[in-house]
Amino acid sequence: MTSQVPCYTIINSPDMEVPNEMQLKQELEKGDTNVKIETLKKVIKLLLNGERYPGLIMTIIRFVLPVQNHTVKKLLLIFWEVVPKTSADGKLLQEMILVCDAYRKDLQHPNEFLRGSTLRFLCKLKEPELLEPLMPAIRACLDHRHSYVRRNAVLAIFTIYKNFDWLVPDGPELIASFLDTQQDMSCKRNAFLMLLHADQERALNYLASCIDQVHSFGDILQLVIVELIYKVCHANPAERSRFIRCIYNLLNSSSNAVRYESAGTLITLSLAPTAIKAAASCYIELVVKESDNNVKLIVLDRLVAMKEHEGMEKVMQDLVMDVLRVLAAPDIEVRRKTLALALDLVYSRNIGEMVLVLKKEVAKTHNVEHEDTGKYRQLLVRTLHTCSIKFPDVAATVIPVLVEFLSDTNELAAADVLIFIREAIQKFPALRALIIENLIEAFPQIKSSKIHRAAVWILGEYVEGPQILEVIAAIQQTLGDVPMVEAEQRRLTGEQSNEEQQQGNANSAGDGSATQGSGNASNKVTSDGTYATQSAYSLAPVAKAEKRPPLRQYLMDGDFFIGAALSATLTKLALRYGDLEPEARAQNRLTTQVMLIMSSILHLGKSGFPSKPITNDDTDRIFVCLRALSERTPEAVSVFTQYCREALGKMLDAQADEDQRVLKEKQRATAKVQPDDPVLFAQLSNGRDNQLGENVFESSLNQALAGNKTAQQLSDVASPNSKLNKVTQLTGFSDPVYAEAYVNVNQYDIVLDVLIVNQTNDTLQNCTLELATLGDLKLVERPHPVVLAPHDFCNIKANVKVSSTENGIIFGNIVYDTALNTNVVVLNTIHIDIMDYIIPASCTDTEFRQMWQDFEWENKVTVNTSFTDLHEYLRHLLKSTNMKCLTPEKALSGQCGFMAANMYAKSIFGENALANLSIEKPVDDPDSKVTGHIRIRAKSQGMALSLGDKISSSQKQSVQAA
């Protein structure tokens, strides 16, 4: 651009009629103060919207400037900020000399508010001709009695020195002497800030003179001191010894913001264990004492980042118990992050203490029913599970605590306990007796069919010796009387006879029909001793709640899958008992007892008593068990006694291999030094490279600019090629106005940097970028109109707020005025890709199934691709959708002509996206294309549809490329 237009304060205004200049002049001349205020507001809004009223300046100087009303004064400050102050040839308007004189008087006004607000206005002026006559008055304000005026005078001198240093050549010296005499913290902070940026040496001298009093300063000044120390020590590492003690002192500041910044600065200046420990302890204190959950999460992220640094992790391991204090916070996300951090830091020396704390937390959740209590219990169970697997020594103390969860009403926590018990009983043979004993004890209190089923399987697989009879006795106790059909019939007839007894056997079966007309009656005694008669027809029959043993109740509810699991368990126990017991009579007695239970379950399933009959699959499984016991063929016996346990061992080994693979991938991703990296010689470096840890201010700036992207992505964003890839052409090259936009997608907003080029020989007045959005996007502010000279160009920025994960469209046009008419150029649409908001994530199979069941929106996409290999298509799909494949690599390996895989991703807004891939191709035809479909499920319709559109478009591109 030929000249840079300053950025003004933007005031949003609704559409209003544009009055003519004469009408505005009359209102400003003859109206009272209120009319002048309203008219002045109207003029400011019109100026901001691109209107020009050069004739109004003199009217305002004559009739509005002398008014002593505070509101008028404030509005005039905005007016003089936005009104054009130069003529067409770039010279300052003559009228501005009068304005300058008026502001000189305001700078000497006895009212401190007028002085201060005028000084704030002068910070925005970019015309040195206007500022030069005001300099003596600005300097005089430094000695004003009121701190509001003094601190704004410092800011005014700072901005004037920064922009036009020749107007105040002795600025740093003036402010340094001012700083020595000040007591007010806000004045000291502004003065110190100026010295920090204008003359660092003077700032350091001042800091050195008062370094022992820093802890007594206000927090606003302490923050600037921290920034100065950081900059100086990074530029000159030799200065660290002078100021590191000051940073240590600021760790004990009363302000949380100062403590946070000091801790961050300390770990960049020193990697000594004492410094790391002090900074980490400060962060932990902040998390514990701060009430805002967002602050807790931010500080926890800093602790996690410290833990990932190789040199800091060992020091932080001693702070595990302090980290666990954060569990007192009620927020589930804070607790989840805290447990994950503690689990990464814990080691053999403090695992015992951590387990004690977690056991106390478990005890606290027993009688508290809160919204997130169930999730928190599940988190505690998983953490204790991981602790026990990593450190087998503590498993013996953890198991009795966790087994108590089996009787919990929260099925999720109980299921996690059983997953842990199953893994522990397989991996730690020495603990089997203890686990079995606790499991038998808890067996009758379990309340869920699913948990009972898994517990029955574990007992059947691992019980040995005399405990076999204990388990069968526990099962019989929770099953009730056998045979069950006869027991149910007795219960039914028993209830009927009780009813007859209650009715006093008034009616016999023979004459029941004769007495039907008159109705059954029972005598009651009233309070005065007389008899009252009440008809039996008026008494509603009350159904009694039937209390049955748990396993019997599941069967009566139609859940016969537990019956099939029970049969398999009893078969294993009977076969194992046969190997232990030499006496045939005892063997046969137990076998017949077991077979009676199985046949009784079969009989009950077909009797009509349960709410649902037994399924054919469960019937077949129970028959297989009966046949295995009666015939005892070697093949059947080996399946029940050997192969089941081997299958579990293989599954656990596969899980362990998968965990190791993921861990290796993470380690590979965080490799610090590549083989071809240049060697860094400390003697040859200038003291600034990689010596002082992470550059906190740089990294926080990068995070702010690029959302929560990784270091690799940040470097990609910064590269010129990446920027060029994100440029979208909005108009054609032959249009009178050419426009293109650089689209930068951040975490919660989209920044459009639009380049507009005037390709005509005319001046374009009021050139305005008008935008509109489709989808869950919202335009934050209307871009400001600009004036474009012939063949001139300008950049206009527009912000669009994003609130959910779905595809969005930004469209609009450019409107401009020429000498003859108003013209419109329609812009090309900008498509916002859903992939900018989706990141791969992982969850357990149970969570995936639960979410799949809960989510109501499903989108089915048919596979239409040129790929001929199933694995290649899966890789292409994962790359184009940013999803993570949850199905293990071993389950997908090999070629069988069919593939099914589950995929999962999470948006930055916390929304979940699930997908299930089912594809196939004939094995005998290698050139045939992959066919099948993908089902997508999400909580919101927009996300399911947007993800489906993304898959469809990626398939089209691959087909076109082929």
Side-chain angles (χ1 to χ4, degrees), residues 659-679:
D659 293 342
Q660 286 296 323
R661 189 180 65 79
V662 171
L663 201 64
K664 280 180 184 174
E665 280 181 4
K666 279 184 183 174
Q667 288 170 348
R668 199 181 308 134
T670 56
K672 296 289 189 300
V673 181
Q674 297 299 329
D676 57 344
D677 277 357
V679 178

Side-chain angles (χ1 to χ4, degrees), residues 110-150:
N111 184 292
E112 65 272 4
F113 170 75
L114 274 179
R115 281 201 189 199
S117 53
T118 307
L119 287 164
R120 289 172 75 88
F121 158 71
L122 294 178
C123 294
K124 299 175 183 176
L125 278 186
K126 296 287 185 285
E127 288 78 22
E129 301 95 329
L130 286 174
L131 292 167
E132 192 170 7
L134 300 174
M135 287 314 300
I138 295 172
R139 282 170 172 262
C141 286
L142 286 174
D143 300 322
H144 194 271
R145 60 184 173 76
H146 205 284
S147 62
Y148 178 70
V149 177
R150 296 200 304 274

